[in-house]
Amino acid sequence: MNRHCFGARIVLTLTAAGGLALTGVSSASGAPPASPSASSSATSATSATWTLEQSDQEVCSRPDTGPHNFYFLAPVTGSTTKDIKLELQDLPTNVTSSGGTVHPGELNDSGEFNGFVHVAIGPTPAGEYDIKLVASDGTDTQSSPARISVRSDC
């Protein structure tokens, strides 16, 4: 990650009671989540003027309860003339996301912006689920690995 501090290891957690809490996150082993897409990837031949910074993020939810609402951070640097759409891919059963957007004015004002990507976790079997945080402006697409951990000791 570059010299700017994004707090990319922090996930905002919106609890079922409606409270807002900051939760530090990292994988259980201390290493980033293993995923076939562990590095950022651009799907177009053009060079993007923005970057989805890599971050190892994980949220934890209890099985057989929910929905529990969380937010993944999408730290983006650079500049853009188009909206950058944010989404989560490879979600497990009973997990949904409404995505998010980074608008040009938000990013261009300082050259860095943390987008938010909502995820709702309903009753889901216990396990570790590697997912992808994806950012796209319609021309360039980049991704970063993330993880949803479902276990009784969250």
Side-chain angles (χ1 to χ4, degrees):
M1 195 138 110
N2 67 20
R3 64 180 172 77
H4 300 288
C5 177
F6 291 99
R9 289 182 176 257
I10 297 175
V11 174
L12 288 175
T13 305
L14 184 59
T15 64
L20 192 62
L22 288 176
T23 305
V25 295
S26 64
S27 63
S29 67
S35 173
S37 63
S39 63
S40 179
S41 61
T43 59
S44 76
T46 63
S47 179
T49 58
W50 56 271
T51 301
L52 174 63
E53 298 293 336
Q54 298 296 294
S55 60
D56 58 340
Q57 297 183 63
E58 177 179 0
V59 297
C60 186
S61 182
R62 290 183 167 78
D64 304 322
T65 62
H68 299 284
N69 295 292
F70 303 93
Y71 285 90
F72 283 95
L73 295 179
V76 179
T77 59
S79 63
T80 185
T81 58
K82 302 185 238 177
D83 285 349
I84 300 170
K85 300 293 183 184
L86 307 170
E87 67 177 347
L88 296 174
Q89 293 180 350
D90 304 328
L91 297 173
T93 303
N94 292 331
V95 177
T96 60
S97 175
S98 56
T101 304
V102 174
H103 301 285
E106 295 167 332
L107 181 58
N108 297 343
D109 283 347
S110 67
E112 59 187 35
F113 188 80
N114 276 323
F116 295 93
V117 186
H118 174 262
V119 63
I121 303 173
T124 302
E128 302 293 319
Y129 300 95
D130 291 326
I131 64 172
K132 285 192 287 188
L133 172 61
V134 177
S136 179
D137 65 6
T139 301
D140 294 294
T141 301
Q142 300 175 25
S143 66
S144 180
R147 178 174 286 162
I148 295 173
S149 183
V150 180
R151 60 181 192 259
S152 59
D153 65 342
C154 289

